[in-house]
Amino acid sequence: MNNFENIILEQIESQVYCLTINRPKVLNALNQQTITELQAAIQIVATDASARVLLVTGSGEKAFVAGADIKQMQALAPLEAKAFSEQALATFRRLEMLDIPVIGLVNGFALGGGCELAMSCDFIFASENAKFGQPEVSLGVTAGFGGSQRLPRLVGRAMAMEMLVSGRMLDAQEAKQRGLVNHVYPQAELLEQGLKMAKKIIKNGPVAVKLTKELVQRGQDLDLENACAMESNLFGLCFATDEQSEGMSAFLDKRSAKF
Ligand code: DAK
């Protein structure tokens, strides 16, 4: 459906897109072209009004994404490195702020830029062999695609610090205990479980789901009073939709809602 080289974007079911980082020979490392393609793919999903859920995964059985492409980064000048980081940060933010839920299906190593990509998804399902880490300091650099900011928000400052300064990896079970991962599945089931969740989401009111994402994403950076005021406003807005009348009538009529 498109001519990307390093990613695959496909509609795997009606209303469900799957985006796969596809450079398995280098464990799906993110070079600049891959980030550019990712940006374009996100734009395709963003402009498809029928899209309801996006799944993000990596090719092969070994890695989700093993980080930014070290071979390409090695020779970067400081301003080039800054530009690369800014492009990736903007792309990941666009993914995070897509108006539909994004589920990361982490099927192996999610290191550095890979962990940062996974954390830009709304939530993560991991395969049993998944490993999460921010090993950038071992390469003599800081995290560059949001890891120093998103990781503390997800696992707390102390655990994030431990991971960021030691490079220690979390396996799938520990990542789940620490709140980075919602569920762990055998690798062969990961996509199926992602799809199953997508179908559950799709059964709900599309506008309500989008507004819920907006509340959670925007609300976490606001103080509680302003965040709750935003909730009242968007809750009120729902009452201007057919969705609300259908959803509530269906409940009272003891039938399934048709959104
Ligand atoms: N980049 C490029 N190639 C990679 C790669 C990566 N991140 N990870 C793996 N590969 C390549 C390997 O070089 C190898 O290629 P060949 O030798 O076959 O040509 C192939 O993938 C298979 O990898 P291995 O042979 O190493 O496989 P193993 O099973 O032995 O080990 C591993 C798997 C995931 C433990 C290991 O590959 C590994 O440690 N990979 C690197 C992980 C890593 O350090 N990731 C973080 C990358 S740094 C910034 C901007 C950006 C960043 C930071 C700052 N600023 C502007 C401030 C970005 C940070 C990162 O993401």
Side-chain angles (χ1 to χ4, degrees):
M1 79 184 278
N2 48 62
N3 52 7
F4 297 125
E5 266 179 44
N6 296 342
I7 63 174
I8 301 166
L9 178 67
E10 50 194 342
Q11 216 164 351
I12 54 170
E13 287 267 335
S14 155
Q15 304 177 302
V16 183
Y17 276 95
C18 185
L19 193 161
T20 306
I21 309 293
N22 187 32
R23 300 182 76 207
K25 283 188 186 150
V26 289
L27 307 187
N28 304 320
L30 300 171
N31 61 2
Q32 197 157 16
Q33 183 184 337
T34 309
I35 299 286
T36 301
E37 291 184 5
L38 194 54
Q39 221 166 4
I42 293 167
Q43 190 56 22
I44 292 172
V45 178
T47 51
D48 179 349
S50 72
R52 298 286 312 277
V53 176
L54 172 63
L55 308 175
V56 178
T57 193
S59 239
E61 295 183 348
K62 200 168 163 185
F64 173 69
V65 166
D69 189 322
I70 300 168
K71 203 169 169 187
Q72 189 181 61
M73 266 194 310
Q74 189 211 5
L76 293 181
L79 289 180
E80 290 170 336
K82 183 166 181 272
F84 183 42
S85 160
E86 283 169 353
Q87 188 195 5
L89 279 166
T91 305
F92 289 10
R93 181 66 178 156
R94 184 86 178 95
L95 180 70
E96 189 168 51
M97 295 309 288
L98 255 188
D99 67 354
I100 56 173
V102 179
I103 308 174
L105 301 178
V106 173
N107 55 314
F109 289 109
L111 303 178
C115 188
E116 290 161 315
L117 174 62
M119 291 190 291
S120 304
C121 298
D122 291 303
F123 55 89
I124 300 170
F125 289 176
S127 60
E128 287 161 342
N129 66 328
K131 285 203 162 44
F132 295 81
Q134 298 284 163
E136 288 90 337
V137 287
S138 72
L139 301 166
V141 294
T142 66
F145 299 167
S148 66
Q149 304 309 310
R150 288 195 178 91
L151 192 59
R153 283 166 168 77
L154 286 166
V155 302
R157 192 186 63 178
M159 183 48 60
M161 270 299 286
E162 180 181 323
M163 290 173 68
L164 286 159
V165 299
S166 73
R168 181 169 85 80
M169 291 184 208
L170 306 187
D171 64 22
Q173 286 303 342
E174 187 176 2
K176 186 176 168 215
Q177 280 161 21
R178 305 269 174 214
L180 193 54
V181 158
N182 284 13
H183 302 286
V184 178
Y185 297 111
Q187 183 156 74
E189 280 178 29
L190 190 62
L191 181 61
E192 181 189 326
Q193 293 291 348
L195 199 52
K196 202 166 150 191
M197 176 55 65
K199 286 180 180 165
K200 271 191 186 148
I201 294 169
I202 288 173
K203 281 191 184 148
N204 297 314
V207 177
V209 168
K210 287 183 178 183
L211 295 181
T212 298
K213 171 158 181 178
E214 187 171 348
L215 283 169
V216 173
Q217 285 296 352
R218 293 198 188 283
Q220 67 187 351
D221 296 323
L222 295 176
D223 62 88
L224 190 64
E225 198 170 332
N226 280 307
C228 288
M230 182 170 68
E231 187 178 273
S232 302
N233 287 333
L234 296 193
F235 175 69
L237 185 63
C238 292
F239 285 73
T241 64
D242 293 341
E243 232 171 72
Q244 175 268 333
S245 43
E246 167 60 11
M248 293 192 178
S249 304
F251 175 80
L252 296 172
D253 297 346
K254 302 190 187 303
R255 60 177 174 82
S256 301
K258 291 196 190 74
F259 292 117

Coordinates of all heavy atoms in Angstrom, one line a residue, residues 6-72:
N6 N 11.9 0.8 4.9 CA 12.4 0.3 6.3 C 11.2 0.1 7.2 O 11.5 -0.3 8.4 CB 13.3 1.3 6.9 CG 14.6 1.4 6.1 OD1 14.9 0.6 5.3 ND2 15.3 2.5 6.3
I7 N 10.0 0.4 6.8 CA 8.9 0.0 7.6 C 7.8 -0.6 6.7 O 7.8 -0.4 5.5 CB 8.3 1.3 8.3 CG1 7.8 2.3 7.4 CG2 9.3 1.9 9.3 CD1 7.1 3.4 8.1
I8 N 6.9 -1.2 7.4 CA 5.7 -1.8 6.7 C 4.5 -1.2 7.4 O 4.4 -1.2 8.6 CB 5.6 -3.3 6.8 CG1 6.9 -4.0 6.2 CG2 4.4 -3.8 6.1 CD1 7.0 -5.4 6.6
L9 N 3.6 -0.5 6.6 CA 2.4 0.0 7.1 C 1.2 -0.8 6.4 O 1.1 -0.7 5.2 CB 2.2 1.5 6.9 CG 0.9 2.1 7.4 CD1 0.9 2.0 8.9 CD2 0.7 3.5 6.9
E10 N 0.5 -1.5 7.2 CA -0.6 -2.3 6.6 C -1.9 -2.2 7.4 O -1.8 -2.0 8.7 CB -0.2 -3.7 6.4 CG 0.3 -4.4 7.6 CD 1.0 -5.7 7.3 OE1 0.8 -6.3 6.3 OE2 1.8 -6.1 8.2
Q11 N -3.0 -2.3 6.7 CA -4.3 -2.3 7.4 C -4.6 -3.8 7.7 O -4.9 -4.5 6.7 CB -5.4 -1.6 6.6 CG -6.3 -0.9 7.4 CD -7.2 0.1 6.6 OE1 -6.9 0.3 5.4 NE2 -8.2 0.7 7.3
I12 N -4.4 -4.3 8.9 CA -4.5 -5.7 9.1 C -6.0 -6.2 9.3 O -6.2 -7.4 9.3 CB -3.6 -6.2 10.2 CG1 -3.8 -5.5 11.5 CG2 -2.1 -6.1 9.8 CD1 -3.1 -6.1 12.7
E13 N -6.8 -5.2 9.6 CA -8.3 -5.5 9.8 C -8.9 -4.2 9.4 O -8.2 -3.2 9.5 CB -8.6 -5.8 11.2 CG -8.2 -7.2 11.7 CD -9.3 -8.2 11.6 OE1 -10.5 -7.9 11.6 OE2 -8.9 -9.4 11.6
S14 N -10.2 -4.2 9.2 CA -10.9 -3.0 9.0 C -10.6 -2.1 10.2 O -10.8 -2.5 11.3 CB -12.3 -3.3 8.8 OG -13.1 -2.2 9.1
Q15 N -10.2 -0.9 10.0 CA -10.0 0.2 11.0 C -8.8 -0.1 11.9 O -8.5 0.7 12.8 CB -11.2 0.3 11.9 CG -12.5 0.6 11.2 CD -13.7 0.6 12.1 OE1 -14.0 -0.4 12.7 NE2 -14.4 1.7 12.1
V16 N -8.0 -1.1 11.6 CA -6.8 -1.4 12.5 C -5.5 -1.4 11.6 O -5.4 -2.2 10.6 CB -6.8 -2.7 13.2 CG1 -5.6 -2.9 14.1 CG2 -8.1 -2.8 14.0
Y17 N -4.6 -0.4 11.9 CA -3.4 -0.4 11.2 C -2.3 -1.1 12.0 O -2.3 -1.0 13.2 CB -2.9 1.1 11.0 CG -3.5 1.8 9.8 CD1 -4.6 2.6 9.9 CD2 -2.9 1.7 8.5 CE1 -5.2 3.2 8.8 CE2 -3.5 2.3 7.4 CZ -4.6 3.1 7.6 OH -5.1 3.8 6.5
C18 N -1.3 -1.7 11.3 CA -0.1 -2.2 12.0 C 1.1 -1.6 11.3 O 1.3 -1.7 10.1 CB -0.1 -3.7 11.9 SG 1.3 -4.4 12.9
L19 N 2.0 -1.0 12.1 CA 3.2 -0.4 11.6 C 4.4 -1.3 12.1 O 4.5 -1.4 13.3 CB 3.3 1.0 12.1 CG 4.3 2.0 11.5 CD1 3.8 3.4 11.9 CD2 5.6 1.8 12.0
T20 N 5.2 -1.8 11.2 CA 6.3 -2.7 11.6 C 7.6 -2.0 11.2 O 7.8 -1.7 10.0 CB 6.1 -4.0 10.9 OG1 4.8 -4.6 11.2 CG2 7.2 -5.0 11.4
I21 N 8.5 -1.9 12.1 CA 9.8 -1.4 11.8 C 10.5 -2.6 11.2 O 10.6 -3.7 11.8 CB 10.6 -0.9 13.0 CG1 9.8 0.1 13.8 CG2 12.0 -0.4 12.6 CD1 9.5 1.4 13.2
N22 N 11.1 -2.5 10.0 CA 11.5 -3.6 9.2 C 12.9 -3.5 8.7 O 13.2 -3.4 7.5 CB 10.5 -3.8 8.0 CG 10.7 -5.1 7.2 OD1 11.1 -6.1 7.8 ND2 10.5 -5.0 5.9
R23 N 13.9 -3.6 9.7 CA 15.3 -3.8 9.3 C 15.9 -4.9 10.1 O 16.8 -4.7 11.0 CB 16.0 -2.5 9.6 CG 15.6 -1.2 8.9 CD 16.4 0.0 9.3 NE 17.7 -0.1 8.6 CZ 18.8 0.5 9.1 NH1 18.8 1.1 10.3 NH2 20.0 0.4 8.4
P24 N 15.3 -6.1 10.0 CA 15.7 -7.2 10.9 C 17.2 -7.5 11.0 O 17.6 -7.9 12.0 CB 14.8 -8.4 10.4 CG 14.4 -8.0 9.0 CD 14.4 -6.6 9.0
K25 N 17.9 -7.3 9.9 CA 19.3 -7.6 9.9 C 20.1 -6.8 10.9 O 21.1 -7.2 11.4 CB 19.9 -7.4 8.5 CG 19.6 -8.5 7.5 CD 20.4 -8.3 6.2 CE 19.9 -9.4 5.3 NZ 20.0 -8.9 3.9
V26 N 19.6 -5.6 11.2 CA 20.3 -4.7 12.3 C 19.3 -4.6 13.4 O 19.3 -3.5 14.1 CB 20.7 -3.4 11.7 CG1 21.9 -3.6 10.8 CG2 19.6 -2.7 11.0
L27 N 18.5 -5.6 13.7 CA 17.6 -5.6 14.8 C 16.7 -4.4 14.8 O 16.4 -3.8 15.9 CB 18.4 -5.8 16.1 CG 19.3 -7.0 16.2 CD1 19.9 -7.1 17.6 CD2 18.6 -8.2 15.8
N28 N 16.3 -4.0 13.6 CA 15.3 -2.9 13.4 C 15.8 -1.5 13.9 O 15.0 -0.7 14.4 CB 14.0 -3.2 14.0 CG 13.4 -4.5 13.4 OD1 13.5 -4.8 12.3 ND2 12.9 -5.4 14.3
A29 N 17.2 -1.3 13.9 CA 17.7 -0.1 14.4 C 17.2 1.1 13.6 O 16.9 1.0 12.4 CB 19.3 -0.1 14.3
L30 N 17.0 2.2 14.2 CA 16.4 3.4 13.6 C 17.4 4.3 13.0 O 18.1 5.0 13.7 CB 15.6 4.2 14.7 CG 14.4 3.4 15.4 CD1 13.9 4.3 16.5 CD2 13.3 3.1 14.4
N31 N 17.5 4.3 11.7 CA 18.4 5.3 11.0 C 17.5 6.5 10.6 O 16.2 6.4 10.8 CB 19.2 4.7 9.9 CG 18.2 4.2 8.8 OD1 17.0 4.3 8.9 ND2 18.8 3.6 7.7
Q32 N 18.1 7.5 10.0 CA 17.3 8.7 9.7 C 16.2 8.4 8.7 O 15.1 8.9 8.9 CB 18.2 9.7 9.2 CG 17.6 11.1 9.2 CD 18.6 12.2 9.2 OE1 19.8 11.9 8.9 NE2 18.2 13.4 9.6
Q33 N 16.5 7.5 7.7 CA 15.4 7.2 6.7 C 14.2 6.5 7.4 O 13.1 6.8 7.1 CB 16.0 6.3 5.6 CG 15.0 6.0 4.6 CD 15.5 5.1 3.5 OE1 16.7 4.9 3.3 NE2 14.6 4.4 2.8
T34 N 14.5 5.7 8.4 CA 13.4 5.0 9.1 C 12.6 6.0 9.8 O 11.3 5.9 9.8 CB 14.0 3.9 10.0 OG1 14.9 3.1 9.3 CG2 12.9 3.0 10.6
I35 N 13.2 7.0 10.5 CA 12.4 8.0 11.2 C 11.6 8.8 10.2 O 10.4 9.1 10.5 CB 13.4 8.9 12.0 CG1 14.2 8.1 13.0 CG2 12.6 10.1 12.6 CD1 13.5 7.7 14.2
T36 N 12.2 9.1 9.1 CA 11.4 9.9 8.1 C 10.2 9.1 7.6 O 9.1 9.6 7.4 CB 12.4 10.3 6.9 OG1 13.5 11.0 7.4 CG2 11.7 11.1 5.8
E37 N 10.5 7.8 7.3 CA 9.3 6.9 6.9 C 8.3 6.8 8.0 O 7.1 6.8 7.7 CB 9.9 5.6 6.5 CG 10.7 5.6 5.2 CD 11.2 4.3 4.7 OE1 10.8 3.2 5.2 OE2 11.9 4.3 3.7
L38 N 8.7 6.7 9.2 CA 7.8 6.6 10.3 C 6.9 7.8 10.4 O 5.7 7.7 10.6 CB 8.7 6.5 11.6 CG 8.0 6.0 12.9 CD1 7.3 4.7 12.7 CD2 9.1 5.8 13.9
Q39 N 7.5 9.0 10.2 CA 6.8 10.2 10.2 C 5.7 10.2 9.1 O 4.6 10.6 9.4 CB 7.8 11.3 9.8 CG 7.7 12.6 10.6 CD 9.0 13.5 10.3 OE1 9.9 13.2 9.6 NE2 9.0 14.6 11.0
A40 N 6.1 9.8 7.9 CA 5.1 9.7 6.8 C 4.0 8.7 7.1 O 2.8 9.0 6.8 CB 5.9 9.4 5.5
A41 N 4.4 7.6 7.7 CA 3.4 6.6 7.9 C 2.4 7.1 9.0 O 1.2 6.8 8.9 CB 4.1 5.3 8.4
I42 N 2.9 7.7 10.0 CA 2.0 8.3 11.0 C 1.0 9.3 10.4 O -0.2 9.3 10.7 CB 2.8 8.9 12.2 CG1 3.6 7.9 12.9 CG2 1.9 9.7 13.2 CD1 4.7 8.4 13.8
Q43 N 1.5 10.0 9.5 CA 0.7 11.0 8.8 C -0.5 10.3 8.0 O -1.6 10.8 8.0 CB 1.5 11.9 7.9 CG 0.8 13.1 7.3 CD 0.2 14.0 8.3 OE1 0.6 14.0 9.5 NE2 -0.8 14.8 8.0
I44 N -0.1 9.2 7.4 CA -1.1 8.4 6.6 C -2.2 8.0 7.6 O -3.4 8.1 7.3 CB -0.5 7.2 5.9 CG1 0.4 7.7 4.8 CG2 -1.6 6.2 5.4 CD1 1.2 6.5 4.1
V45 N -1.8 7.4 8.7 CA -2.8 7.0 9.7 C -3.6 8.1 10.2 O -4.9 8.1 10.4 CB -2.1 6.2 10.9 CG1 -3.1 5.7 11.9 CG2 -1.3 5.0 10.3
A46 N -2.9 9.2 10.5 CA -3.6 10.4 11.1 C -4.7 11.0 10.2 O -5.7 11.5 10.6 CB -2.6 11.5 11.4
T47 N -4.5 10.8 8.9 CA -5.4 11.4 7.9 C -6.5 10.4 7.4 O -7.3 10.8 6.6 CB -4.7 12.1 6.7 OG1 -3.8 11.1 6.2 CG2 -3.9 13.3 7.2
D48 N -6.4 9.2 7.9 CA -7.5 8.2 7.6 C -8.5 8.3 8.7 O -8.4 7.7 9.8 CB -6.8 6.8 7.5 CG -7.9 5.8 7.1 OD1 -9.1 6.1 7.1 OD2 -7.5 4.6 6.8
A49 N -9.7 8.9 8.3 CA -10.7 9.1 9.3 C -11.3 7.7 9.8 O -11.9 7.7 10.9 CB -11.8 9.9 8.7
S50 N -11.1 6.7 9.0 CA -11.7 5.4 9.5 C -10.7 4.6 10.5 O -11.1 3.6 11.0 CB -11.9 4.5 8.3 OG -10.7 4.0 7.7
A51 N -9.5 5.1 10.6 CA -8.5 4.4 11.5 C -9.0 4.5 12.9 O -9.4 5.6 13.4 CB -7.2 5.0 11.3
R52 N -9.0 3.4 13.6 CA -9.4 3.4 15.1 C -8.3 3.0 16.0 O -8.3 3.4 17.2 CB -10.6 2.5 15.2 CG -11.9 2.8 14.4 CD -12.6 4.0 15.0 NE -12.8 3.9 16.4 CZ -13.8 3.2 17.0 NH1 -14.7 2.6 16.3 NH2 -13.9 3.1 18.3
V53 N -7.4 2.1 15.6 CA -6.3 1.7 16.5 C -5.1 1.5 15.6 O -5.2 1.0 14.5 CB -6.6 0.3 17.2 CG1 -5.5 -0.2 18.0 CG2 -7.9 0.5 18.1
L54 N -3.9 1.8 16.2 CA -2.6 1.5 15.5 C -1.8 0.6 16.4 O -1.6 0.9 17.6 CB -1.9 2.9 15.3 CG -0.4 2.7 14.8 CD1 -0.4 2.1 13.4 CD2 0.2 4.1 14.7
L55 N -1.3 -0.5 15.8 CA -0.3 -1.4 16.5 C 1.1 -1.0 16.0 O 1.2 -0.8 14.8 CB -0.7 -2.8 16.2 CG -2.2 -3.2 16.5 CD1 -2.4 -4.7 16.0 CD2 -2.5 -3.1 17.9
V56 N 2.0 -1.1 16.8 CA 3.4 -0.8 16.4 C 4.3 -1.9 16.9 O 4.3 -2.3 18.0 CB 3.9 0.5 17.0 CG1 5.4 0.8 16.6 CG2 3.1 1.7 16.6
T57 N 5.1 -2.5 15.9 CA 5.9 -3.7 16.3 C 7.2 -3.7 15.5 O 7.4 -2.8 14.7 CB 5.1 -5.0 16.2 OG1 5.8 -6.0 16.8 CG2 4.8 -5.4 14.7
G58 N 8.0 -4.7 15.7 CA 9.3 -4.9 14.9 C 9.3 -6.2 14.2 O 8.6 -7.1 14.5
S59 N 10.1 -6.2 13.1 CA 10.2 -7.4 12.3 C 11.0 -8.5 12.9 O 12.0 -8.2 13.6 CB 10.9 -7.0 11.0 OG 10.1 -7.3 9.9
G60 N 10.7 -9.7 12.7 CA 11.5 -10.8 13.2 C 11.1 -11.2 14.7 O 10.2 -10.6 15.2
E61 N 11.9 -12.1 15.2 CA 11.6 -12.6 16.6 C 12.5 -12.2 17.6 O 12.4 -12.5 18.8 CB 11.5 -14.2 16.5 CG 10.4 -14.6 15.6 CD 10.3 -16.1 15.6 OE1 11.2 -16.8 16.1 OE2 9.3 -16.6 15.0
K62 N 13.5 -11.3 17.2 CA 14.6 -11.0 18.2 C 14.4 -9.6 18.8 O 14.8 -9.4 19.9 CB 15.9 -11.1 17.5 CG 17.1 -11.3 18.4 CD 18.3 -11.7 17.6 CE 19.5 -11.5 18.5 NZ 20.8 -11.8 17.8
A63 N 14.0 -8.7 17.9 CA 14.0 -7.3 18.4 C 12.7 -6.6 18.0 O 12.1 -6.8 16.9 CB 15.2 -6.6 17.8
F64 N 12.3 -5.7 18.9 CA 11.3 -4.7 18.5 C 12.1 -3.6 17.8 O 12.1 -3.5 16.6 CB 10.7 -4.1 19.8 CG 9.8 -2.9 19.7 CD1 8.6 -3.0 19.0 CD2 10.2 -1.7 20.2 CE1 7.7 -1.9 18.9 CE2 9.3 -0.6 20.1 CZ 8.1 -0.7 19.4
V65 N 13.0 -2.9 18.5 CA 13.9 -2.0 17.9 C 15.1 -1.9 18.9 O 14.9 -1.6 20.1 CB 13.3 -0.6 17.8 CG1 14.4 0.5 17.5 CG2 12.2 -0.5 16.7
A66 N 16.3 -2.2 18.4 CA 17.5 -2.2 19.2 C 18.2 -0.9 19.4 O 19.3 -0.8 19.7 CB 18.5 -3.3 18.8
G67 N 17.4 0.2 19.0 CA 17.9 1.5 19.3 C 18.1 2.3 18.0 O 17.8 1.9 16.9
A68 N 18.6 3.5 18.2 CA 19.0 4.4 17.1 C 20.2 3.6 16.4 O 20.9 2.8 17.0 CB 19.4 5.7 17.5
D69 N 20.4 3.9 15.1 CA 21.4 3.2 14.3 C 22.8 3.7 14.7 O 23.2 4.8 14.3 CB 21.1 3.4 12.8 CG 22.0 2.5 12.0 OD1 23.2 2.3 12.3 OD2 21.5 1.9 11.0
I70 N 23.5 2.9 15.5 CA 24.8 3.4 16.0 C 25.8 3.6 14.9 O 26.6 4.6 14.9 CB 25.4 2.3 17.0 CG1 24.4 2.1 18.2 CG2 26.7 2.7 17.5 CD1 24.7 0.9 19.1
K71 N 25.7 2.8 13.8 CA 26.7 2.9 12.7 C 26.5 4.3 12.0 O 27.4 5.0 11.7 CB 26.3 1.8 11.7 CG 27.5 1.5 10.8 CD 27.2 0.2 10.0 CE 28.1 0.0 8.9 NZ 27.7 -1.1 8.0
Q72 N 25.2 4.7 11.9 CA 24.9 6.0 11.2 C 25.2 7.1 12.2 O 25.8 8.2 11.8 CB 23.5 6.1 10.8 CG 23.2 7.3 9.9 CD 21.8 7.4 9.5 OE1 20.8 7.5 10.3 NE2 21.5 7.3 8.2

